[in-house]
Amino acid sequence: MFDGKVAFVSGGSKGIGLAVARKLAGEGARVFLAASNTERLQAAADSLPGEAGFHAADLRSLVGCEAAAGAALDKFGRCDILINAAGATKGGIFPDQPDEEMVDGFALKFHGAVRLSRALWPALKAANGTVINIVGGFARTPAADFMVGGAVNAALANFSKALADKGLQDDVNVNWIHPGLTVTERLEGIFADRAAQQGKTRDPIDVESIAAEGIRRLGQPEDVAGLVAFLCSPAARHIHGTGIACDGGGAKGYY
């Protein structure tokens, strides 16, 4: 489906980002990964079918984002698909949560996505490309123990909608996905924090979370990857400027 296309995936060394990279590569795309850990990036790139590249950088910084985007264009000469999947926001109880955790949450997930979108926009415009931002359900359903993630996700969703308006002018398709509880290292950290906050052991948190969400199971990264691949396909070109939940029905509101 994506033969001849180049996909840039931030946060592509693990979790949802890596699942997306594998899906797109399996459909014929050449994939470029960006994250901070060189060894994990190398292992991830080696696991992909077809031609792949990577660049290790701190995507919290403008310099890191520009370097990663430049490395991708140097290697492949184009960018057809941008997947912004990098992001690590910490749970915590307000007002005990330190200021730097809010700042750091915005630095990677929000500012990283903004900067990569800016750096790669000319290439995306030339290719009539696609941007998919991996946001999260807390953008729509704030929680007292996850204020950083909720605030960052809401900001990124708003930015995505505005970017979609720009995309109408430049013929770049833009959408965003709100994953629900998805089995990744990131979720494990959230669950461990929640157990500590509640004075519980880690074991029952999975079952309690599934029950609280009213869902059948926890999501898998591949669930999100399948949706990303569809939204990047020609069949989805008329889907634009839309946030789509991939949460097993966890979000109960219609918005």
Side-chain angles (χ1 to χ4, degrees), residues 47-213:
S47 74
L48 299 179
E51 188 178 6
F54 69 89
H55 183 83
D58 183 2
L59 299 179
R60 293 172 172 83
S61 71
L62 175 60
V63 170
C65 289
E66 290 180 341
L73 295 174
D74 286 344
K75 181 171 180 62
F76 290 122
R78 62 184 296 151
C79 182
D80 302 89
I81 297 167
L82 169 60
I83 311 298
N84 285 306
T89 53
K90 295 182 179 180
I93 301 299
F94 186 81
D96 297 332
Q97 199 164 13
D99 184 72
E100 56 265 24
E101 291 187 359
M102 180 69 78
V103 173
D104 185 70
F106 272 94
L108 179 57
K109 189 166 186 176
F110 179 78
H111 290 296
V114 171
R115 289 162 174 163
L116 288 171
S117 298
R118 183 190 300 117
L120 291 169
W121 194 261
L124 290 161
K125 180 179 178 181
N128 304 128
T130 301
V131 178
I132 306 293
N133 292 328
I134 307 301
V135 183
F138 284 103
R140 295 172 168 173
T141 309
D145 62 351
F146 202 64
M147 287 189 180
V148 174
V152 173
N153 289 355
L156 183 54
N158 189 284
F159 168 76
S160 301
K161 186 65 174 180
L163 190 65
D165 193 34
K166 177 62 176 170
L168 286 176
Q169 301 170 26
D170 292 344
D171 197 11
V172 177
N173 230 49
V174 180
N175 291 291
W176 59 102
I177 295 173
H178 293 301
L181 298 177
T182 304
V183 179
T184 62
E185 291 180 16
R186 177 81 192 90
L187 184 67
E188 177 59 36
I190 292 172
F191 280 179
D193 288 345
R194 187 169 294 171
Q197 292 162 9
Q198 297 175 6
K200 297 178 179 179
T201 61
R202 167 66 184 81
D203 293 341
I205 298 298
D206 288 34
V207 174
E208 292 174 2
S209 296
I210 290 171
E213 291 285 311

